[in-house]
Amino acid sequence: MNKRPSFPARIDFSAGQAKPGKPAPAPNAVSQGLGMDSGAVRMNMVRKLAGQGITDAAVLSAMGLIERHRFVDSALVNQAYEDTSLPIGLGQTISKPGVVARMAELLRQGVSGPLGRVLEIGTGCGYQAAVLSQLATEVYSIERLRGLHEKARVNLRHLRLANLHLLFGDGMLGYPRGAPYAAIIAAAGGEAVPQAWIDQLAVGGRIVAPVHRGPTAPGQQALLVIDKTPQGLRQTLLEAVHFVPIKSGVA
Ligand code: SAH
């Protein structure tokens, strides 16, 4: 297990927000009925994640720290800690907490030592990027829809995460300037993993991405893990998942 000794260390508490177990008033949540005690609701979510088999303490800690209700529209705040995906606008969705935790755990399991630079394809509302920022040295998160790229910027402002870099562009091409990456994680599913991601992955690194399972299972996706070993690529297909489709170009 690769444990970070100083974890969690990256959230700036100086604004008096986001303290685990003792959340400061979040006007959005309070006015929508989640109440002052979002910490307790979040801890309940973390307990459920542990019950579903997430064992990585650093991942559970990050899930307990990042306030998911701040990343969804006010009308959905009361569902923010249920294990469900929710609409975030422009036809996209925030992933289920269970899937975010599972993928983060897979990333950490695949890389020896602390996670270095991570590339996330599909920033969406920015929630998973914030979770990853607690687990990696640097996070580069790329989004192809300008509206969501900007929404994520607003959603993330209160956290002031110096190690999280939001990029607007086509993630199918990766982001060569941040390469090589210790890990690459995709929040949108395609037919196959683009060669650019494999090229930009460090030896010893891991990709976790939803992919279509192929012609025998049309429309179905599964999580694919690709490890880049000194001997070559090792691919493992895991459980079924449901992600929005990956698209090329920007809009
Ligand atoms: N991790 C996000 C999940 C967002 S859903 C969250 O926590 O909210 C997936 C996102 O991937 C969508 O916002 C979609 O616009 C984006 N996406 C799809 N194809 C992309 C591409 N080629 N490059 C960058 N982003 C892409």
Side-chain angles (χ1 to χ4, degrees), residues 114-198:
L115 262 183
R117 285 196 301 280
V118 172
L119 175 66
E120 179 194 37
I121 290 92
T123 312
C125 67
Y127 172 70
Q128 178 168 269
V131 171
L132 293 172
S133 79
Q134 302 304 300
L135 302 168
T137 316
E138 301 287 332
V139 177
Y140 296 83
S141 180
I142 187 160
E143 172 58 54
R144 66 177 288 274
L145 296 177
R146 188 174 285 281
L148 285 175
H149 168 71
E150 276 160 14
K151 190 176 206 169
R153 201 171 281 293
V154 171
N155 288 344
L156 287 159
R157 194 170 290 148
H158 72 284
L159 289 171
R160 287 187 257 149
L161 300 166
N163 68 333
L164 172 55
H165 313 283
L166 297 183
L167 310 158
F168 172 62
D170 181 358
M172 298 268 260
L173 310 172
Y175 181 65
R177 286 176 63 186
Y181 298 100
I184 299 178
I185 179 169
E191 295 300 324
V193 163
Q195 184 62 38
W197 301 358
I198 292 165

Side-chain angles (χ1 to χ4, degrees), residues 2-3 10 17 41 53 121 150 159 161 204 211 229:
N2 34 10
K3 264 210 172 115
R10 285 214 176 73
Q17 297 173 327
V41 188
I121 290 92
E150 276 160 14
L159 289 171
L161 300 166
V211 290
T229 75

Side-chain angles (χ1 to χ4, degrees), residues 91-115:
Q92 309 303 318
T93 53
I94 181 173
S95 309
K96 287 160 76 153
V99 170
V100 172
R102 166 77 168 139
M103 291 176 85
E105 185 170 78
L106 282 170
L107 285 192
R108 274 174 45 90
Q109 283 170 356
V111 174
S112 58
L115 262 183

